[in-house]
Amino acid sequence: MPARVEKTISIGTLSDRTGVAVSALRYYETQNLLFPERNSGGQRRFLRADIRRVSFILIAQTFGFSIAQIKEQLDRLPQGRTPTKRDWSRISTHFKSHLDEKIAALESMRDKLDGCIGCGCLSLQSCALYNPADKAATKGTGPRYLMGDRSQDI
Amino acid sequence: MPARVEKTISIGTLSDRTGVAVSALRYYETQNLLFPERNSGGQRRFLRADIRRVSFILIAQTFGFSIAQIKEQLDRLPQGRTPTKRDWSRISTHFKSHLDEKIAALESMRDKLDGCIGCGCLSLQSCALYNPADKAATKGTGPRYLMGDRSQDI
DNA sequence: CCTTGACCTCAAGTTAGGTTGAGCTCGTAG
DNA sequence: CTACGAGCTCAACCTAACTTGAGGTCAAGG
C-alpha cells in the first residue's frame, strides 16, 4: 500500500520539497508570504499548493526581486481558492515586464559606459553616466547623486 | 584675485564635490577604497584625483558592484602616481565585461520565463528556470536551490 | 583670545533576509 | 508508555553599506 496522501503538509516536508530552510519558511510567514493554518498542537500545516508558492518566491528572488515586491505579486493571486496555472501565468507575465525594465536600464548604462570608455572620463559633469534616472535599476541604499570634476581639477 | 587652488582637499570638500556623505567617505577609507593623508592636526587630506576615484565608486555601485568588487578594480590602478585617463579607461573596460555577463544572465532568465509563461508551471522540475547556474547573476544570499512538484501534487 | 563650525574616534543603530540557540512541547515509532 | 526527532517561540546574531550620537579637538574669522 502506498503511503496515504495527506491533505496538508508539515513545515519540514515543505522544506524538503522546496529546499528552503525551515527557518526561512517561518520568516516568510512573518512577512506575509505564506499563511499556514495550525493543527490542534499549534504546528503549522501548509497546503500542497504552497510548494508552488515557495517555488515562485525562489524564482522571483533569483530575478532580483525583494521580499516586499514578491509579496505584492503574490497578493494578486486569488484568495480562497488554489491558484490555477492561468493565475500563475498571469503573474509571471506581470513580473516579466519588471524584468524587461531592469534589463533595459542595465543596457542603457552599458551603452553609456561604451561611450565613456573611449574618453576615460568616468566622472565628468558632462558624462552620460551622470544620470540619476537610471538608479532605479539598482537596489539597496546606494549613492544619492554623482558630481564630477570641473575644468581645473586633477 | 581668485582663491588659491589648494594642493589637497578636506573631507568636507570631497563630500561637497561628490555628493557622498562625510561618514561614507570615512567608511570607504576603512574599506581601503581611499587612502587620505593626515595633516599635523590629524585631519584627512585628500588629493583632487580622489574626486574621480569617488565618482568611480558611485558609478560602479549603480552598476551593482559591491564595495569589495570595486576595491578589486581600484587596486588595479597604478600606485604612486595620479591615474591617467588611460588608466581609468582600462578599468572601465574591465568592468564593462562584468556588466555584459550580468545582462546576459538576466536575458537568459527572461527567455526561460518567456517559455514558462505559456505553461504557467513556474515550479515544475522540468522547468527551465530550475537552473542553479543562473544564480551567479544575482547577489545576496538568496535561495540555495529549487525543487518542484511531482505529478500528484497540487 | 574666543567662538564656531568642521573634524576626529569609537560604539551602536539601521535594513534585508535570514540563521542560530535556548528552552520547551508535539507526535509518532517501538 | 516512553523516547526522541520534529515543531514551537523569542531573542540574538550575521553581512553589507552606511548613519547617528557622544564626547572631544582643530582651525579660521572677528
Side-chain angles (χ1 to χ4, degrees), chain A residues 80-145:
Chain A
R81 68 170 171 78
T82 299
T84 63
K85 289 195 172 193
R86 225 179 137 72
D87 293 322
W88 286 115
S89 185
R90 193 160 40 72
I91 80 173
S92 306
T93 306
H94 200 89
F95 91 9
K96 174 186 181 314
S97 64
H98 280 267
L99 190 58
D100 284 337
E101 280 171 29
K102 270 183 200 228
I103 291 174
L106 275 181
E107 281 173 341
S108 154
M109 286 203 277
R110 179 184 53 190
D111 293 346
K112 287 174 184 167
L113 183 58
D114 281 343
C116 282
I117 284 177
C119 71
C121 66
L122 267 183
S123 66
L124 298 171
Q125 276 193 315
S126 60
C127 178
L129 286 170
Y130 172 59
N131 181 358
D134 283 337
K135 305 289 163 48
T138 73
K139 47 180 187 175
T141 38
R144 282 160 304 295
Y145 64 100

Side-chain angles (χ1 to χ4, degrees), chain B residues 16-70:
Chain B
D16 290 345
R17 294 299 300 281
T18 58
V20 173
V22 165
S23 61
L25 293 174
R26 286 198 272 247
Y27 173 72
Y28 292 157
E29 185 186 1
T30 70
Q31 300 307 297
N32 299 309
L33 296 184
L34 296 175
F35 305 94
E37 313 230 296
R38 301 293 179 124
N39 66 12
S40 55
Q43 301 193 346
R44 290 171 182 79
R45 293 269 103 196
F46 292 87
L47 301 173
R48 290 186 165 272
D50 286 328
I51 294 171
R52 180 158 288 186
R53 201 169 169 97
V54 172
S55 294
F56 176 82
I57 296 170
L58 292 174
I59 293 172
Q61 280 185 319
T62 71
F63 280 77
F65 293 94
S66 68
I67 291 291
Q69 290 172 316
I70 295 169

Side-chain angles (χ1 to χ4, degrees), chain B residues 55-123:
Chain B
S55 294
F56 176 82
I57 296 170
L58 292 174
I59 293 172
Q61 280 185 319
T62 71
F63 280 77
F65 293 94
S66 68
I67 291 291
Q69 290 172 316
I70 295 169
K71 175 179 159 31
E72 273 178 41
Q73 296 302 307
L74 287 175
D75 286 349
R76 300 167 157 277
L77 284 174
Q79 316 275 11
R81 67 169 171 79
T82 298
T84 62
K85 290 197 173 193
R86 224 177 139 73
D87 293 321
W88 285 115
S89 185
R90 194 161 39 74
I91 80 173
S92 306
T93 306
H94 201 88
F95 91 4
K96 174 186 181 317
S97 63
H98 280 265
L99 189 58
D100 284 336
E101 278 170 30
K102 270 182 202 228
I103 291 174
L106 275 181
E107 282 173 342
S108 153
M109 288 204 274
R110 178 183 56 189
D111 293 345
K112 287 175 185 168
L113 182 58
D114 281 342
C116 282
I117 284 177
C119 71
C121 67
L122 268 182
S123 66

Side-chain angles (χ1 to χ4, degrees), chain A residues 26-38:
Chain A
R26 286 199 272 248
Y27 173 73
Y28 293 157
E29 185 187 0
T30 70
Q31 301 305 298
N32 298 310
L33 296 184
L34 296 175
F35 306 93
E37 312 230 295
R38 301 293 178 123

